[in-house]
Amino acid sequence: MVQQEVLDRTFAALSDGTRRQILVRLGQGPASIGELAEPFGMSLTGMKKHVHVLESAGLVTTEKVGRSRQCRLGAERLEDAMSWIAFYQRLWERRLDGLDAYFTLRNAPETDTGKDTER
Amino acid sequence: MVQQEVLDRTFAALSDGTRRQILVRLGQGPASIGELAEPFGMSLTGMKKHVHVLESAGLVTTEKVGRSRQCRLGAERLEDAMSWIAFYQRLWERRLDGLDAYFTLRNAPETDTGKDTER
DNA sequence: CTCTTGCTGAACCATGTGGTTCACTATAGG
DNA sequence: CCTATAGTGAACCACATGGTTCAGCAAGAG
């Protein structure tokens, strides 16, 4: 299913609030390491590490221009992550189909064993 | 936007391939710690840690029944994660609207500077 | 050439992660 | 009561993370 490592890196990159904010910031246009670091009151070194994590997940691309480094959103559209989650959603919604259906349905308001009633 | 900590824990929980497989397994019905650990050749203690991570992210709920512990999919539908990603997708698709539009469009097949031409 | 600015790399630190083993508790079954 | 089974908790380990400081190095500005 896709490639485990890709999902690993993508989800790990997204698991930090600072990095998610960086992505949002870059959505408004490219920025240098310094420009990214400033609103967080973070050292340049610290910010560079975050950018590196995002870059190795394909979420950001960077290019050295002059003495500055331009960071912008990368080619990774999060499609793999999105489709994994979508797969999980379907799985979740059908989780009553298994052997535990009986136990779960005992608590349901109606004993309509037919189609999923939008619950 | 939602709650940073929720997203942190959710994405972090998903960033491990073993845990994603556990979720898929639980999609087929509830299982005990031992049943979950067996296919991975992992110790019970190790599996319990994974389950704990998933549980504190709301992705799994557990209940002690007898000397066994039943694990099943939790109430967290991944909707927060899904909607954050969806937000990011929109942001990504509109990333040409910024000041960098010029540079990006120079590489575009046509120099149509009008509406977004479906890329 | 000199100075400032922006990034980079190494070293360090505290904490978290993914896993183990070992000792222990608690339940199920004779 | 006795024993096998299922999980739990503490301790440990190697390594990753998120951050720092400090010492460079490269590019612009004068």
Side-chain angles (χ1 to χ4, degrees):
Chain A
M1 183 193 297
V2 188
Q3 264 289 350
Q4 292 288 358
E5 295 174 4
V6 175
L7 284 175
D8 284 6
R9 274 195 295 270
T10 303
F11 282 129
L14 293 179
S15 73
D16 184 281
T18 302
R19 283 194 291 266
R20 289 194 301 272
Q21 285 182 251
I22 293 171
L23 288 179
V24 173
R25 167 65 182 78
L26 290 180
Q28 303 168 215
S32 67
I33 300 281
E35 286 165 347
L36 289 176
E38 189 274 326
F40 296 100
M42 183 182 296
S43 68
L44 294 180
T45 312
M47 178 52 63
K48 188 170 182 287
K49 285 193 182 182
H50 279 304
V51 169
H52 179 250
V53 171
L54 290 166
E55 195 172 9
S56 54
L59 294 168
V60 159
T61 59
T62 73
E63 182 195 6
K64 192 80 189 243
V65 41
R67 63 183 159 178
S68 176
R69 177 173 291 277
Q70 286 285 334
C71 310
R72 61 183 66 224
L73 291 187
E76 168 68 75
R77 275 175 188 257
L78 251 38
E79 277 163 357
D80 293 344
M82 185 68 131
S83 65
W84 194 92
I85 290 186
F87 164 76
Y88 175 81
Q89 302 281 37
R90 289 195 302 277
L91 187 143
W92 194 92
E93 278 150 19
R94 281 161 185 67
R95 80 195 192 289
L96 300 185
D97 292 356
L99 290 175
D100 57 329
Y102 169 70
F103 301 102
T104 310
L105 284 175
R106 284 206 312 182
N107 298 334
E110 294 197 3
T111 340
D112 184 347
T113 53
K115 303 304 172 194
D116 52 338
T117 44
E118 191 59 38
R119 199 234 178 269
Chain B
M1 182 191 298
V2 190
Q3 266 287 354
Q4 292 288 357
E5 294 174 5
V6 175
L7 283 175
D8 283 6
R9 274 195 295 270
T10 304
F11 282 129
L14 294 179
S15 73
D16 184 281
T18 302
R19 283 195 292 266
R20 289 194 301 273
Q21 285 182 249
I22 292 172
L23 289 179
V24 172
R25 167 62 184 79
L26 290 180
Q28 303 167 214
S32 68
I33 300 282
E35 287 164 348
L36 289 176
E38 190 274 327
F40 295 100
M42 185 182 295
S43 68
L44 294 180
T45 313
M47 178 52 63
K48 188 172 182 287
K49 285 193 181 182
H50 279 303
V51 169
H52 178 249
V53 171
L54 289 167
E55 194 171 10
S56 54
L59 295 168
V60 159
T61 59
T62 73
E63 182 195 6
K64 191 83 189 241
V65 39
R67 65 182 158 177
S68 176
R69 177 174 292 276
Q70 285 285 337
C71 310
R72 60 183 66 223
L73 290 188
E76 168 68 76
R77 273 175 189 258
L78 251 38
E79 277 162 357
D80 293 344
M82 186 68 131
S83 65
W84 193 91
I85 290 185
F87 164 75
Y88 175 81
Q89 303 281 36
R90 291 194 301 277
L91 187 141
W92 194 91
E93 278 151 18
R94 282 161 184 68
R95 80 195 194 287
L96 301 185
D97 292 355
L99 290 174
D100 57 327
Y102 168 69
F103 302 102
T104 310
L105 285 175
R106 284 207 311 185
N107 299 335
E110 294 198 2
T111 339
D112 184 346
T113 53
K115 303 304 170 193
D116 52 337
T117 46
E118 193 56 38
R119 199 238 183 277

